[in-house]
Structures are given as structure tokens and as C-alpha cells.
Amino acid sequence: MRAPEKLLLRLEWRVVRRLDGRLQGGHRTVHRGAGIDFAGLRAYVEGDDARHIDWNVTARLNEPHLRLFNEDREMTVWLVLDRSASMAAGRPGRGKHEVLAELALVLARLFCRSGNRVGALLFDTGVLRVVPPGTDRRHVLRIGAELDRTAAASSGQTTDLAAMLDAVARLARRRSLVVVVSDFIGDGDWERSLLRLARRHEVVALRIVDTADDELPEAGLIVVEDAETGEQLIVDSGDPLFRVRFREAVDARDARLADGMREAGVPVHRVDTDRDLAEALVEVVARTRDRRT
């Protein structure tokens, strides 16, 4: 049995079955039409469907008014998957790469089961692979196969987050739900790209975090390597000044991410590599619903 098939079977048994039905309603279509969820009222104009006139409101206001509903229409979902070198951090078998693959397959399977079309954009520094939107389990396995083909990371460059966001903006022709799965460790003016993307699409960020991203072990002299550039330094991990500077750099990175997401109106959800995946996704949906109420 191929690796994507084995992984999907395991996730369907351990995660998808636990989530099935619990994640419905986490996202609502952006269209309005003849659905079942009441969306509001507006004045009748010539040419409107008279079947949607609210006669009680019409009698009260002495002017014809229509009832509007959220339309039950399929949604196109784009999974933007960061496959850069920094995503390789973490313990063997449970690093950020592995958690990203599990998240991608679970989300693709859940959205497809609900009748939505799911596409994927896999972004490595200098390499872009696209899986056009599809709807069935075979399509989910295709995304898994592409995840399995992660290219060797390029050295000397950091993740270009702006290029990753601009790429999905070009691909998503119709208004879509865009789920960005990344550790958001990279350079560039990505805030503008996120603002442009969020103006047209509903965007959700899932930030995968490993302990190694935020904490420095006290182990004396250690070799620190930038996973994105390959640059190596020998540092004294017990040096108090170095530890303070490391903490300040982590805090500054997190603050910039929070500010950029807040300005664009994009919710960012933290998914730790040691967290139960089903619990993390249920929490994401609960926070999304709370944000809308």
C-alpha cells in the first residue's frame, strides 16, 4: 500500500471519524440566494421573484419586502501548504512537515465529504506545485501524493511568504475559502499580499509550531543552523545575554505575525506539533464561530 493511502486510512480512523459532523457550519458560503438560512430583508424591485416576498413585513411597512437567504452552494477551498525547509523542524515522525501533511489530508477529506471542491498549492522556496480543485477521495490521495514528493529544500534563501500568498491569489479565480498552513517563518513584505488576498477571499491561517521554534535548550556550546539558509553558528546556549536576545527575536516575530493578521482581519490558529489533531481542529472551529457571534 502506498504511503498516502496508509496515512489517509489512519487519519480517517483516528481523526476524521471523530470530527465528522462536528465541524459543519464552521464556514458559511459567501453567496446569497434561495437557501435555508435567513440572511435579511430588502425592498422589492421589479423583476424580483414574488415567491420570496415577506407578506407580514410588507403589510407592516406598506411596501413590498423580500426575504434573503444564504445560498446552499458548494464552496471552493484552497489549501496553501508551506513545504519550506523550516517546516522540517521537530522530532522524527512528528515534525512540522508531518503535522502539515496530516492537517492537509484531514481538511481535504472533510471538505470533500461535504461536497466542496478542494485544491492545493504546495510552496517550497523556488518550487510551486498545484493540485487543481477536486471533490472525491481519490483527489485527496492525489494531494497526499504531492505532499510525498516534497522537493529538496533550496539553500541560501528564506521562505517568501508574499510569493506564496500571491500565488494562490492568482489561482483562485472565484471567491474561495483559503486555508494557509505554515509556520510563518520567513522574510519579505507579506502583509500587503495578505491584505489583497483577504479582500477577495475568506482566509484562515493555521500556524504550525514546534517547541524548537520558541525555546532554546541550555546545553552549553551548540551548533545552530538556519534551516532555510543552511547558515551555521556556534553559540553558548547558557549565555544569559544570548538567551534574552533569542527571546526578544521570537517575541518580535510573533508580534509582527499577530499585527499583520489583525490588520488583514485574518484569524490565525496555533497548532502545536505535540497537540492532538482532532482537538486542535475542534478548537479552531469553536474559535471561528465565537468570532462571528
Side-chain angles (χ1 to χ4, degrees):
M1 186 182 295
R2 293 177 301 175
E5 175 73 21
K6 290 176 64 177
L7 177 58
L8 182 56
L9 281 173
R10 178 170 63 82
L11 292 171
E12 285 176 328
W13 179 254
R14 295 185 179 179
V15 181
V16 174
R17 289 173 70 246
R18 292 167 59 191
L19 294 175
D20 203 14
R22 299 184 65 181
L23 302 187
Q24 300 304 315
H27 293 277
R28 194 179 291 272
T29 176
V30 295
H31 303 284
R32 286 182 178 172
I36 60 174
D37 291 332
F38 179 68
L41 295 163
R42 70 165 171 80
Y44 175 88
V45 295
E46 186 177 354
D48 283 337
D49 190 339
R51 293 175 299 176
H52 299 313
I53 292 177
D54 188 317
W55 295 107
N56 290 330
V57 175
T58 296
R60 188 166 63 249
L61 299 179
N62 199 28
E63 180 183 3
H65 275 70
L66 292 180
R67 293 173 64 86
L68 302 177
F69 300 87
N70 287 311
E71 186 174 356
D72 187 16
R73 183 183 297 185
E74 72 172 20
M75 177 171 55
T76 299
V77 181
W78 281 97
L79 303 178
V80 183
L81 309 175
D82 180 2
R83 302 297 279 174
S84 62
S86 66
M87 292 292 292
R91 68 180 188 272
R94 197 60 186 171
K96 290 188 285 187
H97 268 323
E98 286 82 7
V99 174
L100 177 141
E102 292 184 1
L103 270 172
L105 290 183
V106 167
L107 291 172
R109 188 71 178 115
L110 287 168
F111 280 120
C112 284
R113 282 162 68 105
S114 300
N116 301 299
R117 302 171 70 246
V118 180
L121 182 153
L122 294 85
F123 190 88
D124 197 354
T125 307
V127 179
L128 174 68
R129 296 197 303 278
V130 178
V131 180
T135 58
D136 56 15
R137 189 176 187 277
R138 182 179 298 178
H139 181 73
V140 177
L141 287 172
R142 180 180 175 188
I143 294 175
E146 288 296 330
L147 286 164
D148 229 21
R149 293 179 52 228
T150 302
S154 304
S155 60
Q157 294 178 310
T158 57
T159 304
D160 191 339
L161 296 173
M164 184 169 71
L165 297 171
D166 289 340
V168 72
R170 291 191 301 269
L171 285 168
R173 302 291 180 87
R174 57 181 289 186
R175 189 166 170 84
S176 306
L177 169 63
V178 177
V179 182
V180 184
V181 187
S182 172
D183 58 6
F184 293 95
I185 295 177
D187 294 330
D189 184 13
W190 55 267
E191 290 92 341
R192 292 183 182 179
S193 297
L194 182 64
L195 274 169
R196 288 194 297 266
L197 185 66
R199 287 193 190 107
R200 180 172 175 80
H201 305 282
E202 181 175 1
V203 183
V204 175
L206 300 181
R207 180 190 176 201
I208 301 180
V209 180
D210 187 81
T211 304
D213 294 333
D214 297 338
E215 299 178 9
L216 189 68
E218 289 195 45
L221 293 176
I222 60 174
V223 177
V224 178
E225 178 176 337
D226 187 322
E228 302 260 315
T229 66
E231 182 182 1
Q232 292 184 336
L233 293 173
I234 298 177
V235 301
D236 181 1
S237 62
D239 181 359
L241 181 59
F242 177 77
R243 296 186 68 83
V244 168
R245 289 177 175 174
F246 178 85
R247 187 70 255 168
E248 288 175 346
V250 170
D251 291 343
R253 181 196 68 201
D254 292 351
R256 181 189 176 188
L257 177 64
D259 290 344
M261 294 291 175
R262 188 182 307 111
E263 184 177 352
V266 172
V268 56
H269 305 279
R270 176 174 172 134
V271 179
D272 290 275
T273 55
D274 58 358
R275 181 84 184 275
D276 178 84
L277 195 59
E279 290 180 2
L281 287 173
V282 168
E283 182 178 295
V284 166
V285 173
R287 288 179 57 195
T288 300
R289 287 173 176 159
D290 291 344
R291 189 169 177 263
R292 292 180 173 184
T293 57

